[in-house]
Amino acid sequence: MSDAEPLSAVFQRLIANYGPISLLHYMGESNARYYADKDPLGSAGDFITAPEISQIFGELLGLWLADIWMRAGSPAPVHYVEMGPGRGTLARDALRTMKRVGLDPHVHFVEGSQALRALQAQAVPQAQWHHDLGSVPTDAPLLVVGNEFLDALPVRQLVKTPGGWRERMVDWAEDRFRPVAGDKPMDAAVPDALKQAEEGTLLETCPGAAAVMHELAARLAAQGGAALLIDYGYAAPQTGSTLQALRAHTKVDPFAMPGEADLTCLVDFAILAEIAASEGAKWQGTVTQGDFLRALGIDMRAARLAEAAPHHADTIWRAKDRLINDDQMGTLFKVMGVTGPDWPQGAGF
C-alpha cells in the first residue's frame, strides 16, 4: 500500500469528475487505507487502547465472560469472538484468565488488517481469522468482545438547511477538503421528532454499527452467548457531529489528511440497544467504563498486582486510574452488555 496513489489525490479526482462525495464514503475509504498495512497502536503509533494500558482490563473482561458462562451452565463447545482485536493483547489476557477457571473456548478474530493479523498471531497463535461475523461458526454459544471497534465504522451525517434536510458531503475547494450540504432532499430519512429541528441541526448515524448489531444480536438470540461492547460514546440520543481524527496521539483536522489519520465518531449506544432487542437478544444495560470496572473489582486487582510487584506499583496505580477516572477514560467510555434471551444477568449492569 505504501506505493499506492495518495488517497487525497484519488478523492480530488473523484470530486472533480462526479462532484462532492458523501462523508460516509470519505470516512470509509480513509479508514480502510489507514488500517490496511500498519500498526496504529502504542506510543509509536497514533493512539493507545485500554488493553495496552493495563493487563487488568483484559483480565476483568475475561472474568466477566467466564462468570456469565458458568452461570449459564458452562456450555461446551463455546466460541470466543473478538471484533477488532488490535495486537491481540486483550484476548491474550482474557483467555489466560478464562483458562484458570476451566473455560477454554475456540478463538475467532474479526480483523481485516494483515499487519494486525500478524501481531495477533504472535499473541494468540490458536486464533482463526474472519473478515466479518458471517463466517464465525453457528454451532455453539458466542462470547464476544468489541473494544474500540464500532467507533471506526463510517458515519452518515444529515444537516438541516434552509431548504430542508440534506446529507453532509465532502468537497474540494480552495486547496482543501471541506464539508458541504448535498443537493438531494433527505427529509424522509429523518425521525419525525427532528423533522422541524432548527437550521444547522446535525444528525449522525452509523449504518455499519447498526448492521453489526443486527447480526450479532440475531446470532446471540439463536446460539446463546454474551457480548461486551466497549467504546467511547453516548447512552442517550443526541445531535451534533462527533467526527474526530487522531495522528501521533494528537487531534488533527479530519479533512486534512485522508488515509493518514484515524477517523472515529462517538458510538450511539441507545440505538444499538433498540436494535439488540428487536432481534430477540437481551440488552443487559449500558454503563460507564469506570463503574463497570469498579464493579468487577479493579481496585482489588490493582492492589494485588502492586503488592506482588512493588517496584511497578506506581505504574499499576496510574494505569488503573487512567481506565476508571472521570477525567480520563472512566466516563466517556461506555460498556454495553448483550446476551442470548435465556442467559443470566451479567455482573456490573
Side-chain angles (χ1 to χ4, degrees):
M1 289 292 290
S2 58
D3 295 330
E5 181 182 15
L7 191 56
S8 59
V10 175
F11 282 158
Q12 287 175 47
R13 186 170 62 252
L14 191 62
I15 292 168
N17 289 333
Y18 301 104
I21 59 175
S22 69
L23 179 65
L24 188 79
H25 182 172
Y26 176 88
M27 185 176 176
E29 291 290 333
S30 294
N31 276 353
R33 176 72 67 93
Y34 174 78
Y35 281 101
D37 59 357
K38 67 180 292 188
D39 171 16
L41 297 162
S43 58
D46 294 323
F47 57 90
I48 190 167
T49 59
E52 307 292 337
I53 293 171
S54 172
Q55 70 185 69
I56 301 175
F57 185 78
E59 291 173 346
L60 291 180
L61 297 194
L63 284 174
W64 188 93
L65 292 171
D67 172 70
I68 199 169
W69 169 76
M70 286 188 286
R71 290 190 290 112
S74 304
V78 65
H79 300 288
Y80 174 85
V81 182
E82 189 168 343
M83 301 183 296
R87 292 172 169 170
T89 305
L90 191 161
R92 183 193 62 207
D93 294 337
L95 291 166
R96 182 182 66 247
T97 307
M98 290 177 191
K99 198 162 189 175
R100 291 175 185 160
V101 295
L103 173 54
D104 191 15
H106 302 294
V107 180
H108 305 270
F109 287 161
V110 177
E111 177 62 69
S113 166
Q114 293 302 318
L116 289 175
R117 282 191 180 196
L119 293 173
Q120 292 155 15
Q122 296 175 26
V124 188
Q126 73 271 34
Q128 299 177 46
W129 282 266
H130 307 264
H131 286 288
D132 53 48
L133 287 171
S135 58
V136 172
T138 59
D139 62 342
L142 305 175
L143 301 176
V144 183
V145 174
N147 180 60
E148 293 199 52
F149 172 73
L150 298 174
D151 65 277
L153 299 178
V155 300
R156 168 174 283 126
Q157 292 182 345
L158 303 178
V159 61
K160 181 67 178 296
T161 73
W165 286 92
R166 300 289 187 269
E167 184 165 8
R168 206 173 188 214
M169 312 292 282
V170 179
D171 199 3
W172 174 259
E174 299 176 356
D175 294 325
R176 65 186 180 95
F177 294 106
R178 61 179 183 177
V180 297
D183 57 4
K184 295 179 181 177
M186 295 294 291
D187 299 76
V190 176
D192 289 341
L194 288 173
K195 284 279 201 301
Q196 304 304 318
E198 64 183 48
E199 186 179 328
T201 301
L202 192 144
L203 176 64
E204 190 173 83
T205 64
C206 186
V212 168
M213 180 51 72
H214 274 293
E215 183 169 12
L216 175 59
R219 295 286 293 270
L220 291 173
Q223 294 172 239
L228 289 173
L229 301 174
I230 308 104
D231 232 311
Y232 61 113
Y234 45 95
Q238 68 177 44
T239 58
S241 175
T242 69
L243 178 65
Q244 70 172 25
L246 275 179
R247 183 177 171 88
H249 303 271
T250 303
K251 287 187 178 182
V252 297
D253 180 355
F255 301 102
M257 49 187 78
E260 299 176 40
D262 176 45
L263 299 183
T264 62
C265 288
L266 295 183
V267 174
D268 182 351
F269 284 102
I271 192 66
L272 296 184
E274 292 179 12
I275 292 170
S278 76
E279 291 288 353
K282 181 166 70 173
W283 173 60
Q284 297 260 333
T286 301
V287 298
T288 67
Q289 179 173 292
D291 285 347
F292 184 73
L293 295 178
R294 288 187 193 96
L296 268 55
I298 190 172
D299 292 294
M300 184 182 302
R301 178 58 178 153
R304 288 180 177 172
L305 284 176
E307 183 180 353
H311 51 297
H312 291 307
D314 286 346
T315 301
I316 292 167
W317 287 117
R318 282 198 302 271
K320 186 267 296 183
D321 288 343
R322 186 171 177 184
L323 291 175
I324 66 173
N325 282 3
D326 289 347
D327 61 348
Q328 297 192 59
M329 299 177 74
T331 299
L332 179 61
F333 278 73
K334 308 296 190 297
V335 182
M336 177 177 170
V338 183
T339 63
D342 300 324
W343 276 52
Q345 187 70 12
F349 291 108

